[in-house]
Amino acid sequence: MFADVIGVSELKTLIATSSCRVVDCRFNLMQVDSGRREYREGHIPGAVYAHLDDDLAGPITVNSGRHPLPDVMTFVRRIESWGIDNDLQVVVYDHGNGTIAARLWWLLRWLGHREVAVLNGGITAWKKAGETISNVIEEHNPTSFAGQANASMVATTGEIYSSIEAGRPLGLVDARDARRYKGEVEPIDSIAGHVPGAMNW
């Protein structure tokens, strides 16, 4: 079982010898259709595509952020449409830094699925190793996935605000680019900077 990170050689062996599902999560916040286009042009053999806006986030509301958590049952149906059940090993990847792939890794963990790993270095590492690329658009028979959201893995905006007001920060980590964290550049949000007390790794 791979539950955190998997390397290129390990994934190659896994694809050849075991049952698994690879998910391509490439996405560009500034060009939201580019990841799907890149998937169609070439991806790791057997991979399905997950779009950040359409598959890995719920509808935006006046009270939500840019990528709110998806509705549990809607997301479960999406998982099932990719042919993923509770026992299948899943490997997720993006361009290489793991930012988007880690979201799907976390979402599956949130629903109780442990056998999910991020490809170290993403498709960039896969290509650098000279591995095969496919342009076959994958389709799989729907499966049954029994998932239940773990509420303890989520902090609400109200909880974060209250902890800051009380001087007891929750140990927030801002995973964005350091320049956005520092407020030096902000191509998307109306206000630059970060949540008070957040660290940037």
Side-chain angles (χ1 to χ4, degrees):
M1 180 184 80
F2 295 92
D4 296 301
V5 178
I6 187 172
V8 169
S9 61
E10 293 169 315
L11 176 56
K12 181 180 179 182
T13 300
L14 186 66
I15 291 172
T17 62
S18 305
S19 185
C20 68
R21 180 70 65 246
V22 182
V23 186
D24 184 324
C25 303
R26 283 178 286 178
F27 187 84
N28 184 328
L29 288 169
M30 305 303 293
Q31 300 176 25
V32 297
D33 293 323
S34 64
R36 185 178 281 116
R37 182 177 64 252
E38 290 173 324
Y39 168 79
R40 289 171 177 160
E41 293 171 352
H43 50 266
I44 293 175
V48 296
Y49 182 71
H51 190 279
L52 175 61
D53 290 344
D54 299 340
D55 302 319
L56 307 183
I60 296 173
T61 69
V62 293
N63 296 317
S64 76
R66 188 184 312 107
H67 294 108
L69 289 176
D71 170 74
V72 172
M73 290 312 302
T74 300
F75 185 56
V76 164
R77 286 193 293 271
R78 179 64 68 194
I79 293 169
E80 293 174 335
S81 75
W82 292 329
I84 296 172
D85 61 30
N86 293 83
D87 300 317
L88 188 65
Q89 173 71 58
V90 179
V91 176
V92 297
Y93 73 88
D94 52 31
H95 288 100
N97 66 7
T99 303
I100 309 300
R103 182 180 178 94
L104 178 52
W105 177 89
W106 185 89
L107 285 170
L108 287 167
R109 290 293 188 90
W110 176 53
L111 295 184
H113 192 70
R114 302 294 299 177
E115 296 184 19
V116 54
V118 176
L119 176 60
N120 189 16
I123 197 167
T124 301
W126 182 266
K127 289 180 177 178
K128 188 175 181 180
E131 301 299 344
T132 302
I133 295 296
S134 170
N135 59 8
V136 175
I137 305 303
E138 299 292 339
E139 295 184 3
H140 300 279
N141 292 326
T143 55
S144 178
F145 182 90
Q148 184 172 355
N150 183 350
S152 70
M153 293 176 64
V154 178
T156 67
T157 303
E159 290 169 338
I160 293 171
Y161 182 80
S162 295
S163 72
I164 293 171
E165 287 290 290
R168 293 181 280 103
L170 294 174
L172 291 176
V173 177
D174 188 326
R176 297 175 304 161
D177 177 88
R179 294 174 301 165
R180 292 186 66 197
Y181 168 79
K182 295 175 183 177
E184 296 172 351
V185 296
E186 185 44 70
I188 301 172
D189 294 322
S190 57
I191 300 175
H194 57 270
V195 175
M199 301 173 286
N200 181 234
W201 293 349

PDB file of all heavy atoms in Angstrom, residues 92-127:
ATOM      1  N   VAL A  92      -2.086  10.005  -7.443  1.00  0.00           N
ATOM      2  CA  VAL A  92      -2.470  11.299  -8.010  1.00  0.00           C
ATOM      3  C   VAL A  92      -1.217  12.082  -8.388  1.00  0.00           C
ATOM      4  O   VAL A  92      -0.174  11.956  -7.750  1.00  0.00           O
ATOM      5  CB  VAL A  92      -3.331  12.109  -7.016  1.00  0.00           C
ATOM      6  CG1 VAL A  92      -4.624  11.369  -6.726  1.00  0.00           C
ATOM      7  CG2 VAL A  92      -2.592  12.352  -5.706  1.00  0.00           C
ATOM      8  N   TYR A  93      -1.326  12.876  -9.441  1.00  0.00           N
ATOM      9  CA  TYR A  93      -0.177  13.683  -9.853  1.00  0.00           C
ATOM     10  C   TYR A  93      -0.632  14.968 -10.521  1.00  0.00           C
ATOM     11  O   TYR A  93      -1.774  15.097 -10.971  1.00  0.00           O
ATOM     12  CB  TYR A  93       0.741  12.891 -10.794  1.00  0.00           C
ATOM     13  CG  TYR A  93       0.204  12.675 -12.198  1.00  0.00           C
ATOM     14  CD1 TYR A  93       0.417  13.612 -13.210  1.00  0.00           C
ATOM     15  CD2 TYR A  93      -0.510  11.520 -12.523  1.00  0.00           C
ATOM     16  CE1 TYR A  93      -0.066  13.409 -14.501  1.00  0.00           C
ATOM     17  CE2 TYR A  93      -1.001  11.301 -13.800  1.00  0.00           C
ATOM     18  CZ  TYR A  93      -0.773  12.255 -14.790  1.00  0.00           C
ATOM     19  OH  TYR A  93      -1.265  12.057 -16.058  1.00  0.00           O
ATOM     20  N   ASP A  94       0.285  15.943 -10.562  1.00  0.00           N
ATOM     21  CA  ASP A  94       0.057  17.179 -11.307  1.00  0.00           C
ATOM     22  C   ASP A  94       1.332  17.492 -12.086  1.00  0.00           C
ATOM     23  O   ASP A  94       2.084  16.586 -12.449  1.00  0.00           O
ATOM     24  CB  ASP A  94      -0.407  18.322 -10.392  1.00  0.00           C
ATOM     25  CG  ASP A  94       0.506  18.525  -9.185  1.00  0.00           C
ATOM     26  OD1 ASP A  94       1.727  18.265  -9.295  1.00  0.00           O
ATOM     27  OD2 ASP A  94       0.009  18.961  -8.128  1.00  0.00           O
ATOM     28  N   HIS A  95       1.599  18.779 -12.321  1.00  0.00           N
ATOM     29  CA  HIS A  95       2.802  19.115 -13.076  1.00  0.00           C
ATOM     30  C   HIS A  95       4.082  18.715 -12.345  1.00  0.00           C
ATOM     31  O   HIS A  95       5.077  18.389 -12.980  1.00  0.00           O
ATOM     32  CB  HIS A  95       2.838  20.625 -13.380  1.00  0.00           C
ATOM     33  CG  HIS A  95       1.841  21.049 -14.406  1.00  0.00           C
ATOM     34  ND1 HIS A  95       0.638  21.635 -14.076  1.00  0.00           N
ATOM     35  CD2 HIS A  95       1.853  20.952 -15.754  1.00  0.00           C
ATOM     36  CE1 HIS A  95      -0.045  21.897 -15.176  1.00  0.00           C
ATOM     37  NE2 HIS A  95       0.661  21.492 -16.210  1.00  0.00           N
ATOM     38  N   GLY A  96       4.067  18.784 -11.032  1.00  0.00           N
ATOM     39  CA  GLY A  96       5.269  18.380 -10.318  1.00  0.00           C
ATOM     40  C   GLY A  96       5.373  18.841  -8.884  1.00  0.00           C
ATOM     41  O   GLY A  96       5.942  18.154  -8.050  1.00  0.00           O
ATOM     42  N   ASN A  97       4.808  20.017  -8.567  1.00  0.00           N
ATOM     43  CA  ASN A  97       4.982  20.513  -7.190  1.00  0.00           C
ATOM     44  C   ASN A  97       3.972  19.920  -6.213  1.00  0.00           C
ATOM     45  O   ASN A  97       4.081  20.121  -5.007  1.00  0.00           O
ATOM     46  CB  ASN A  97       4.927  22.037  -7.152  1.00  0.00           C
ATOM     47  CG  ASN A  97       3.565  22.608  -7.516  1.00  0.00           C
ATOM     48  OD1 ASN A  97       2.593  21.884  -7.679  1.00  0.00           O
ATOM     49  ND2 ASN A  97       3.513  23.927  -7.672  1.00  0.00           N
ATOM     50  N   GLY A  98       2.976  19.209  -6.721  1.00  0.00           N
ATOM     51  CA  GLY A  98       2.038  18.500  -5.863  1.00  0.00           C
ATOM     52  C   GLY A  98       0.899  19.324  -5.297  1.00  0.00           C
ATOM     53  O   GLY A  98       0.060  18.795  -4.563  1.00  0.00           O
ATOM     54  N   THR A  99       0.825  20.596  -5.646  1.00  0.00           N
ATOM     55  CA  THR A  99      -0.179  21.479  -5.049  1.00  0.00           C
ATOM     56  C   THR A  99      -1.605  21.009  -5.299  1.00  0.00           C
ATOM     57  O   THR A  99      -2.417  20.931  -4.373  1.00  0.00           O
ATOM     58  CB  THR A  99      -0.015  22.917  -5.576  1.00  0.00           C
ATOM     59  OG1 THR A  99       1.301  23.366  -5.304  1.00  0.00           O
ATOM     60  CG2 THR A  99      -1.015  23.849  -4.922  1.00  0.00           C
ATOM     61  N   ILE A 100      -1.933  20.691  -6.552  1.00  0.00           N
ATOM     62  CA  ILE A 100      -3.291  20.273  -6.889  1.00  0.00           C
ATOM     63  C   ILE A 100      -3.489  18.793  -6.570  1.00  0.00           C
ATOM     64  O   ILE A 100      -4.546  18.398  -6.062  1.00  0.00           O
ATOM     65  CB  ILE A 100      -3.611  20.553  -8.368  1.00  0.00           C
ATOM     66  CG1 ILE A 100      -3.282  22.016  -8.719  1.00  0.00           C
ATOM     67  CG2 ILE A 100      -5.073  20.249  -8.665  1.00  0.00           C
ATOM     68  CD1 ILE A 100      -4.059  23.035  -7.916  1.00  0.00           C
ATOM     69  N   ALA A 101      -2.481  17.977  -6.844  1.00  0.00           N
ATOM     70  CA  ALA A 101      -2.584  16.548  -6.534  1.00  0.00           C
ATOM     71  C   ALA A 101      -2.831  16.336  -5.044  1.00  0.00           C
ATOM     72  O   ALA A 101      -3.603  15.454  -4.649  1.00  0.00           O
ATOM     73  CB  ALA A 101      -1.317  15.827  -6.980  1.00  0.00           C
ATOM     74  N   ALA A 102      -2.191  17.160  -4.214  1.00  0.00           N
ATOM     75  CA  ALA A 102      -2.361  17.026  -2.768  1.00  0.00           C
ATOM     76  C   ALA A 102      -3.800  17.293  -2.347  1.00  0.00           C
ATOM     77  O   ALA A 102      -4.269  16.753  -1.341  1.00  0.00           O
ATOM     78  CB  ALA A 102      -1.421  17.984  -2.035  1.00  0.00           C
ATOM     79  N   ARG A 103      -4.520  18.097  -3.105  1.00  0.00           N
ATOM     80  CA  ARG A 103      -5.922  18.353  -2.766  1.00  0.00           C
ATOM     81  C   ARG A 103      -6.749  17.076  -2.918  1.00  0.00           C
ATOM     82  O   ARG A 103      -7.537  16.732  -2.039  1.00  0.00           O
ATOM     83  CB  ARG A 103      -6.507  19.466  -3.635  1.00  0.00           C
ATOM     84  CG  ARG A 103      -7.968  19.781  -3.272  1.00  0.00           C
ATOM     85  CD  ARG A 103      -8.544  20.871  -4.135  1.00  0.00           C
ATOM     86  NE  ARG A 103      -9.936  21.138  -3.815  1.00  0.00           N
ATOM     87  CZ  ARG A 103     -10.387  22.063  -2.971  1.00  0.00           C
ATOM     88  NH1 ARG A 103      -9.515  22.833  -2.334  1.00  0.00           N
ATOM     89  NH2 ARG A 103     -11.672  22.238  -2.777  1.00  0.00           N
ATOM     90  N   LEU A 104      -6.552  16.367  -4.040  1.00  0.00           N
ATOM     91  CA  LEU A 104      -7.287  15.115  -4.216  1.00  0.00           C
ATOM     92  C   LEU A 104      -6.825  14.081  -3.195  1.00  0.00           C
ATOM     93  O   LEU A 104      -7.642  13.320  -2.660  1.00  0.00           O
ATOM     94  CB  LEU A 104      -7.115  14.582  -5.638  1.00  0.00           C
ATOM     95  CG  LEU A 104      -7.809  13.254  -5.939  1.00  0.00           C
ATOM     96  CD1 LEU A 104      -9.284  13.278  -5.543  1.00  0.00           C
ATOM     97  CD2 LEU A 104      -7.655  12.891  -7.412  1.00  0.00           C
ATOM     98  N   TRP A 105      -5.520  14.042  -2.908  1.00  0.00           N
ATOM     99  CA  TRP A 105      -4.998  13.146  -1.863  1.00  0.00           C
ATOM    100  C   TRP A 105      -5.747  13.404  -0.549  1.00  0.00           C
ATOM    101  O   TRP A 105      -6.216  12.472   0.101  1.00  0.00           O
ATOM    102  CB  TRP A 105      -3.499  13.408  -1.692  1.00  0.00           C
ATOM    103  CG  TRP A 105      -2.832  12.630  -0.604  1.00  0.00           C
ATOM    104  CD1 TRP A 105      -2.260  11.397  -0.705  1.00  0.00           C
ATOM    105  CD2 TRP A 105      -2.643  13.044   0.760  1.00  0.00           C
ATOM    106  NE1 TRP A 105      -1.724  11.004   0.507  1.00  0.00           N
ATOM    107  CE2 TRP A 105      -1.951  12.000   1.428  1.00  0.00           C
ATOM    108  CE3 TRP A 105      -2.985  14.183   1.488  1.00  0.00           C
ATOM    109  CZ2 TRP A 105      -1.604  12.080   2.777  1.00  0.00           C
ATOM    110  CZ3 TRP A 105      -2.652  14.258   2.832  1.00  0.00           C
ATOM    111  CH2 TRP A 105      -1.956  13.213   3.468  1.00  0.00           C
ATOM    112  N   TRP A 106      -5.888  14.694  -0.188  1.00  0.00           N
ATOM    113  CA  TRP A 106      -6.555  15.045   1.067  1.00  0.00           C
ATOM    114  C   TRP A 106      -8.050  14.726   1.013  1.00  0.00           C
ATOM    115  O   TRP A 106      -8.616  14.217   1.985  1.00  0.00           O
ATOM    116  CB  TRP A 106      -6.347  16.523   1.380  1.00  0.00           C
ATOM    117  CG  TRP A 106      -6.897  16.914   2.713  1.00  0.00           C
ATOM    118  CD1 TRP A 106      -6.262  16.885   3.919  1.00  0.00           C
ATOM    119  CD2 TRP A 106      -8.247  17.352   2.989  1.00  0.00           C
ATOM    120  NE1 TRP A 106      -7.118  17.287   4.920  1.00  0.00           N
ATOM    121  CE2 TRP A 106      -8.344  17.574   4.381  1.00  0.00           C
ATOM    122  CE3 TRP A 106      -9.360  17.569   2.186  1.00  0.00           C
ATOM    123  CZ2 TRP A 106      -9.516  18.019   4.989  1.00  0.00           C
ATOM    124  CZ3 TRP A 106     -10.545  17.998   2.788  1.00  0.00           C
ATOM    125  CH2 TRP A 106     -10.608  18.228   4.172  1.00  0.00           C
ATOM    126  N   LEU A 107      -8.698  15.019  -0.103  1.00  0.00           N
ATOM    127  CA  LEU A 107     -10.134  14.764  -0.225  1.00  0.00           C
ATOM    128  C   LEU A 107     -10.444  13.277  -0.035  1.00  0.00           C
ATOM    129  O   LEU A 107     -11.430  12.924   0.630  1.00  0.00           O
ATOM    130  CB  LEU A 107     -10.650  15.236  -1.588  1.00  0.00           C
ATOM    131  CG  LEU A 107     -10.808  16.750  -1.778  1.00  0.00           C
ATOM    132  CD1 LEU A 107     -11.094  17.062  -3.245  1.00  0.00           C
ATOM    133  CD2 LEU A 107     -11.907  17.313  -0.885  1.00  0.00           C
ATOM    134  N   LEU A 108      -9.617  12.420  -0.614  1.00  0.00           N
ATOM    135  CA  LEU A 108      -9.838  10.985  -0.449  1.00  0.00           C
ATOM    136  C   LEU A 108      -9.604  10.562   1.000  1.00  0.00           C
ATOM    137  O   LEU A 108     -10.348   9.744   1.551  1.00  0.00           O
ATOM    138  CB  LEU A 108      -8.938  10.200  -1.410  1.00  0.00           C
ATOM    139  CG  LEU A 108      -9.375  10.257  -2.877  1.00  0.00           C
ATOM    140  CD1 LEU A 108      -8.273   9.736  -3.789  1.00  0.00           C
ATOM    141  CD2 LEU A 108     -10.654   9.467  -3.093  1.00  0.00           C
ATOM    142  N   ARG A 109      -8.575  11.130   1.634  1.00  0.00           N
ATOM    143  CA  ARG A 109      -8.341  10.855   3.056  1.00  0.00           C
ATOM    144  C   ARG A 109      -9.528  11.354   3.895  1.00  0.00           C
ATOM    145  O   ARG A 109      -9.934  10.706   4.864  1.00  0.00           O
ATOM    146  CB  ARG A 109      -7.059  11.549   3.520  1.00  0.00           C
ATOM    147  CG  ARG A 109      -5.775  10.963   2.973  1.00  0.00           C
ATOM    148  CD  ARG A 109      -5.556   9.564   3.528  1.00  0.00           C
ATOM    149  NE  ARG A 109      -4.264   9.035   3.198  1.00  0.00           N
ATOM    150  CZ  ARG A 109      -3.163   9.170   3.927  1.00  0.00           C
ATOM    151  NH1 ARG A 109      -3.198   9.853   5.068  1.00  0.00           N
ATOM    152  NH2 ARG A 109      -2.024   8.636   3.542  1.00  0.00           N
ATOM    153  N   TRP A 110     -10.046  12.498   3.546  1.00  0.00           N
ATOM    154  CA  TRP A 110     -11.197  13.092   4.240  1.00  0.00           C
ATOM    155  C   TRP A 110     -12.383  12.135   4.251  1.00  0.00           C
ATOM    156  O   TRP A 110     -13.144  12.065   5.220  1.00  0.00           O
ATOM    157  CB  TRP A 110     -11.541  14.403   3.540  1.00  0.00           C
ATOM    158  CG  TRP A 110     -12.732  15.165   3.996  1.00  0.00           C
ATOM    159  CD1 TRP A 110     -13.030  15.573   5.265  1.00  0.00           C
ATOM    160  CD2 TRP A 110     -13.787  15.667   3.159  1.00  0.00           C
ATOM    161  NE1 TRP A 110     -14.200  16.294   5.273  1.00  0.00           N
ATOM    162  CE2 TRP A 110     -14.679  16.364   3.992  1.00  0.00           C
ATOM    163  CE3 TRP A 110     -14.040  15.609   1.796  1.00  0.00           C
ATOM    164  CZ2 TRP A 110     -15.825  16.995   3.498  1.00  0.00           C
ATOM    165  CZ3 TRP A 110     -15.175  16.228   1.306  1.00  0.00           C
ATOM    166  CH2 TRP A 110     -16.057  16.910   2.157  1.00  0.00           C
ATOM    167  N   LEU A 111     -12.521  11.368   3.175  1.00  0.00           N
ATOM    168  CA  LEU A 111     -13.621  10.406   3.061  1.00  0.00           C
ATOM    169  C   LEU A 111     -13.232   9.018   3.561  1.00  0.00           C
ATOM    170  O   LEU A 111     -14.006   8.069   3.424  1.00  0.00           O
ATOM    171  CB  LEU A 111     -14.106  10.322   1.611  1.00  0.00           C
ATOM    172  CG  LEU A 111     -14.749  11.592   1.042  1.00  0.00           C
ATOM    173  CD1 LEU A 111     -15.257  11.332  -0.363  1.00  0.00           C
ATOM    174  CD2 LEU A 111     -15.875  12.090   1.938  1.00  0.00           C
ATOM    175  N   GLY A 112     -12.021   8.885   4.102  1.00  0.00           N
ATOM    176  CA  GLY A 112     -11.628   7.625   4.712  1.00  0.00           C
ATOM    177  C   GLY A 112     -10.814   6.692   3.844  1.00  0.00           C
ATOM    178  O   GLY A 112     -10.510   5.570   4.257  1.00  0.00           O
ATOM    179  N   HIS A 113     -10.430   7.101   2.636  1.00  0.00           N
ATOM    180  CA  HIS A 113      -9.646   6.240   1.744  1.00  0.00           C
ATOM    181  C   HIS A 113      -8.158   6.447   2.027  1.00  0.00           C
ATOM    182  O   HIS A 113      -7.630   7.540   1.838  1.00  0.00           O
ATOM    183  CB  HIS A 113      -9.949   6.572   0.283  1.00  0.00           C
ATOM    184  CG  HIS A 113      -9.415   5.559  -0.677  1.00  0.00           C
ATOM    185  ND1 HIS A 113      -9.940   4.295  -0.788  1.00  0.00           N
ATOM    186  CD2 HIS A 113      -8.393   5.614  -1.576  1.00  0.00           C
ATOM    187  CE1 HIS A 113      -9.282   3.626  -1.717  1.00  0.00           C
ATOM    188  NE2 HIS A 113      -8.337   4.400  -2.201  1.00  0.00           N
ATOM    189  N   ARG A 114      -7.484   5.406   2.468  1.00  0.00           N
ATOM    190  CA  ARG A 114      -6.090   5.528   2.889  1.00  0.00           C
ATOM    191  C   ARG A 114      -5.085   5.218   1.778  1.00  0.00           C
ATOM    192  O   ARG A 114      -3.969   5.719   1.799  1.00  0.00           O
ATOM    193  CB  ARG A 114      -5.828   4.580   4.070  1.00  0.00           C
ATOM    194  CG  ARG A 114      -6.724   4.839   5.279  1.00  0.00           C
ATOM    195  CD  ARG A 114      -6.470   6.174   5.926  1.00  0.00           C
ATOM    196  NE  ARG A 114      -5.103   6.299   6.434  1.00  0.00           N
ATOM    197  CZ  ARG A 114      -4.619   7.410   6.989  1.00  0.00           C
ATOM    198  NH1 ARG A 114      -5.384   8.483   7.100  1.00  0.00           N
ATOM    199  NH2 ARG A 114      -3.389   7.454   7.446  1.00  0.00           N
ATOM    200  N   GLU A 115      -5.464   4.350   0.854  1.00  0.00           N
ATOM    201  CA  GLU A 115      -4.500   3.899  -0.157  1.00  0.00           C
ATOM    202  C   GLU A 115      -4.419   4.898  -1.312  1.00  0.00           C
ATOM    203  O   GLU A 115      -4.831   4.623  -2.433  1.00  0.00           O
ATOM    204  CB  GLU A 115      -4.869   2.504  -0.648  1.00  0.00           C
ATOM    205  CG  GLU A 115      -4.775   1.458   0.447  1.00  0.00           C
ATOM    206  CD  GLU A 115      -5.055   0.061  -0.046  1.00  0.00           C
ATOM    207  OE1 GLU A 115      -4.971  -0.175  -1.259  1.00  0.00           O
ATOM    208  OE2 GLU A 115      -5.364  -0.801   0.775  1.00  0.00           O
ATOM    209  N   VAL A 116      -3.894   6.072  -1.016  1.00  0.00           N
ATOM    210  CA  VAL A 116      -3.720   7.107  -2.028  1.00  0.00           C
ATOM    211  C   VAL A 116      -2.373   7.779  -1.802  1.00  0.00           C
ATOM    212  O   VAL A 116      -2.002   8.086  -0.673  1.00  0.00           O
ATOM    213  CB  VAL A 116      -4.881   8.132  -1.992  1.00  0.00           C
ATOM    214  CG1 VAL A 116      -5.073   8.713  -0.597  1.00  0.00           C
ATOM    215  CG2 VAL A 116      -4.663   9.251  -2.994  1.00  0.00           C
ATOM    216  N   ALA A 117      -1.624   7.975  -2.898  1.00  0.00           N
ATOM    217  CA  ALA A 117      -0.285   8.560  -2.814  1.00  0.00           C
ATOM    218  C   ALA A 117      -0.084   9.583  -3.923  1.00  0.00           C
ATOM    219  O   ALA A 117      -0.694   9.488  -4.995  1.00  0.00           O
ATOM    220  CB  ALA A 117       0.787   7.467  -2.913  1.00  0.00           C
ATOM    221  N   VAL A 118       0.768  10.562  -3.648  1.00  0.00           N
ATOM    222  CA  VAL A 118       1.125  11.590  -4.623  1.00  0.00           C
ATOM    223  C   VAL A 118       2.402  11.156  -5.345  1.00  0.00           C
ATOM    224  O   VAL A 118       3.359  10.716  -4.705  1.00  0.00           O
ATOM    225  CB  VAL A 118       1.355  12.952  -3.933  1.00  0.00           C
ATOM    226  CG1 VAL A 118       1.821  13.998  -4.942  1.00  0.00           C
ATOM    227  CG2 VAL A 118       0.078  13.417  -3.228  1.00  0.00           C
ATOM    228  N   LEU A 119       2.409  11.278  -6.669  1.00  0.00           N
ATOM    229  CA  LEU A 119       3.606  10.949  -7.449  1.00  0.00           C
ATOM    230  C   LEU A 119       4.662  12.022  -7.240  1.00  0.00           C
ATOM    231  O   LEU A 119       4.444  13.190  -7.565  1.00  0.00           O
ATOM    232  CB  LEU A 119       3.266  10.832  -8.935  1.00  0.00           C
ATOM    233  CG  LEU A 119       4.456  10.579  -9.869  1.00  0.00           C
ATOM    234  CD1 LEU A 119       5.176   9.273  -9.516  1.00  0.00           C
ATOM    235  CD2 LEU A 119       4.009  10.580 -11.321  1.00  0.00           C
ATOM    236  N   ASN A 120       5.787  11.629  -6.690  1.00  0.00           N
ATOM    237  CA  ASN A 120       6.883  12.555  -6.430  1.00  0.00           C
ATOM    238  C   ASN A 120       7.416  13.132  -7.743  1.00  0.00           C
ATOM    239  O   ASN A 120       7.880  12.401  -8.608  1.00  0.00           O
ATOM    240  CB  ASN A 120       8.010  11.816  -5.692  1.00  0.00           C
ATOM    241  CG  ASN A 120       9.083  12.762  -5.186  1.00  0.00           C
ATOM    242  OD1 ASN A 120       8.888  13.971  -5.116  1.00  0.00           O
ATOM    243  ND2 ASN A 120      10.220  12.207  -4.830  1.00  0.00           N
ATOM    244  N   GLY A 121       7.302  14.454  -7.904  1.00  0.00           N
ATOM    245  CA  GLY A 121       7.775  15.103  -9.121  1.00  0.00           C
ATOM    246  C   GLY A 121       6.755  15.165 -10.235  1.00  0.00           C
ATOM    247  O   GLY A 121       7.011  15.781 -11.280  1.00  0.00           O
ATOM    248  N   GLY A 122       5.590  14.527 -10.034  1.00  0.00           N
ATOM    249  CA  GLY A 122       4.511  14.606 -11.008  1.00  0.00           C
ATOM    250  C   GLY A 122       4.882  14.093 -12.383  1.00  0.00           C
ATOM    251  O   GLY A 122       5.811  13.308 -12.564  1.00  0.00           O
ATOM    252  N   ILE A 123       4.135  14.571 -13.375  1.00  0.00           N
ATOM    253  CA  ILE A 123       4.367  14.106 -14.739  1.00  0.00           C
ATOM    254  C   ILE A 123       5.713  14.581 -15.267  1.00  0.00           C
ATOM    255  O   ILE A 123       6.298  13.959 -16.165  1.00  0.00           O
ATOM    256  CB  ILE A 123       3.223  14.528 -15.684  1.00  0.00           C
ATOM    257  CG1 ILE A 123       3.272  13.689 -16.969  1.00  0.00           C
ATOM    258  CG2 ILE A 123       3.259  16.035 -15.946  1.00  0.00           C
ATOM    259  CD1 ILE A 123       2.028  13.800 -17.831  1.00  0.00           C
ATOM    260  N   THR A 124       6.230  15.660 -14.689  1.00  0.00           N
ATOM    261  CA  THR A 124       7.558  16.134 -15.103  1.00  0.00           C
ATOM    262  C   THR A 124       8.606  15.066 -14.818  1.00  0.00           C
ATOM    263  O   THR A 124       9.460  14.773 -15.665  1.00  0.00           O
ATOM    264  CB  THR A 124       7.914  17.439 -14.371  1.00  0.00           C
ATOM    265  OG1 THR A 124       6.922  18.428 -14.666  1.00  0.00           O
ATOM    266  CG2 THR A 124       9.279  17.946 -14.801  1.00  0.00           C
ATOM    267  N   ALA A 125       8.547  14.461 -13.632  1.00  0.00           N
ATOM    268  CA  ALA A 125       9.495  13.403 -13.279  1.00  0.00           C
ATOM    269  C   ALA A 125       9.261  12.166 -14.131  1.00  0.00           C
ATOM    270  O   ALA A 125      10.212  11.473 -14.520  1.00  0.00           O
ATOM    271  CB  ALA A 125       9.356  13.063 -11.795  1.00  0.00           C
ATOM    272  N   TRP A 126       7.990  11.856 -14.405  1.00  0.00           N
ATOM    273  CA  TRP A 126       7.659  10.697 -15.239  1.00  0.00           C
ATOM    274  C   TRP A 126       8.272  10.841 -16.630  1.00  0.00           C
ATOM    275  O   TRP A 126       8.890   9.909 -17.164  1.00  0.00           O
ATOM    276  CB  TRP A 126       6.144  10.570 -15.325  1.00  0.00           C
ATOM    277  CG  TRP A 126       5.631   9.390 -16.104  1.00  0.00           C
ATOM    278  CD1 TRP A 126       5.279   9.361 -17.423  1.00  0.00           C
ATOM    279  CD2 TRP A 126       5.397   8.059 -15.609  1.00  0.00           C
ATOM    280  NE1 TRP A 126       4.843   8.122 -17.786  1.00  0.00           N
ATOM    281  CE2 TRP A 126       4.907   7.291 -16.695  1.00  0.00           C
ATOM    282  CE3 TRP A 126       5.548   7.459 -14.368  1.00  0.00           C
ATOM    283  CZ2 TRP A 126       4.556   5.955 -16.572  1.00  0.00           C
ATOM    284  CZ3 TRP A 126       5.210   6.110 -14.231  1.00  0.00           C
ATOM    285  CH2 TRP A 126       4.725   5.378 -15.326  1.00  0.00           C
ATOM    286  N   LYS A 127       8.114  12.020 -17.236  1.00  0.00           N
ATOM    287  CA  LYS A 127       8.670  12.262 -18.567  1.00  0.00           C
ATOM    288  C   LYS A 127      10.192  12.269 -18.536  1.00  0.00           C
ATOM    289  O   LYS A 127      10.849  11.741 -19.443  1.00  0.00           O
ATOM    290  CB  LYS A 127       8.151  13.598 -19.114  1.00  0.00           C
ATOM    291  CG  LYS A 127       6.684  13.593 -19.499  1.00  0.00           C
ATOM    292  CD  LYS A 127       6.271  14.960 -20.018  1.00  0.00           C
ATOM    293  CE  LYS A 127       4.833  14.975 -20.487  1.00  0.00           C
ATOM    294  NZ  LYS A 127       4.425  16.337 -20.954  1.00  0.00           N
TER     295      LYS A 127
END
